[in-house]
Amino acid sequence: MKREKLECLEQEVAERFPGLARERLGEALVLHVPVEKLLETMTRLRDDIAMDFKLLIDLAGVHYPDRAAPFEVVYQLLSVHKNHRIRIKVAVADGELVPSVAGIWRSADWHEREAYDMFGILFSGHPDLRRILTDYDFHGHPLRKDFPVTGQVEMRYDEQRGMVVKEPIRLGRGDREPYRKSP
């Protein structure tokens, strides 16, 4: 987005949302919204003719384990008519409910399911919040920073039992040294 357009958008946002923190990241305008004001703010961003963000491009979770509110939900909005974008960030504590924006933008449905599956972020009012990328019996949320890189179990086909079995991860192999020193 060009600098003049970005400054114009930032001025409009400052007038309409005076209590919300803003920042610029490169050529993007970021608006920090508390959870309790999310639905009100998102509805205004969509319906206000000066904003006109009719399209939710993306919604993603981010994990910052050292923060008091260790998760962020990041929304990318686009106004096709005005050709401008904005990024919305919502800080979330572990287990805190985030109101679903699927009623505002239908495209949020799958994105919220993905954020739930990968990070464990809970969305209240979501029409069908269940896992989307992992198995139904999968334990944990693989994109959290504290999730083990190797996973928690490994699956293999057991010929004796004639079925797929899950076992704890075994990293060592008798025929290899995994961290061999270079000469």
Side-chain angles (χ1 to χ4, degrees):
M1 192 164 20
K2 292 188 176 182
R3 186 178 191 91
E4 300 83 34
K5 192 170 196 120
L6 183 62
E7 289 174 3
C8 182
L9 175 63
E10 186 171 10
Q11 185 176 357
E12 291 281 347
V13 168
E15 291 173 10
R16 283 168 171 72
F17 306 99
L20 301 180
R22 302 176 309 278
E23 69 174 316
R24 283 192 191 182
L25 290 176
E27 296 180 0
L29 178 63
V30 180
L31 189 61
H32 295 272
V33 178
V35 172
E36 60 273 5
K37 290 189 174 190
L38 180 65
L39 288 182
E40 172 194 338
T41 304
M42 295 303 226
T43 303
R44 284 186 63 195
L45 285 168
R46 182 193 64 184
D47 296 341
D48 188 327
I49 196 67
M51 301 287 106
D52 198 31
F53 290 104
K54 300 288 188 209
L55 192 58
L56 172 72
I57 298 292
D58 192 20
L59 178 164
V62 186
H63 187 202
Y64 299 101
D66 298 333
R67 291 185 181 177
F71 297 98
E72 268 187 357
V73 181
V74 181
Y75 303 84
Q76 307 280 352
L77 305 179
L78 170 68
S79 170
V80 175
H81 182 70
K82 297 192 178 289
N83 192 23
H84 58 210
R85 298 170 186 260
I86 192 167
R87 185 175 303 159
I88 309 298
K89 290 186 175 185
V90 178
V92 181
D94 195 9
E96 184 178 8
L97 293 175
V98 178
S100 172
V101 296
I104 300 171
W105 296 282
R106 288 183 50 102
S107 62
D109 184 350
W110 286 85
H111 296 297
E112 288 177 349
R113 285 180 66 182
E114 184 179 14
Y116 162 69
D117 193 8
M118 296 290 110
F119 293 95
I121 298 170
L122 300 170
F123 294 91
S124 64
H126 189 279
D128 186 20
L129 192 63
R130 58 188 159 111
R131 291 194 179 270
I132 191 170
L133 297 172
T134 58
D135 289 335
Y136 292 109
D137 62 343
F138 188 85
H139 295 285
H141 303 284
L143 290 184
R144 286 185 175 199
K145 301 267 171 128
D146 54 0
F147 191 83
V149 175
T150 57
Q152 295 172 337
V153 294
E154 61 184 346
M155 294 176 45
R156 67 173 179 83
Y157 181 76
D158 187 340
E159 290 189 20
Q160 292 178 344
R161 291 195 272 178
M163 60 188 280
V164 175
V165 294
K166 292 182 178 178
E167 298 174 335
I169 298 286
R170 287 175 283 145
L171 293 176
R173 290 185 57 178
D175 60 337
R176 294 188 186 174
E177 292 180 35
Y179 301 107
R180 187 178 307 172
K181 292 181 180 178
S182 60

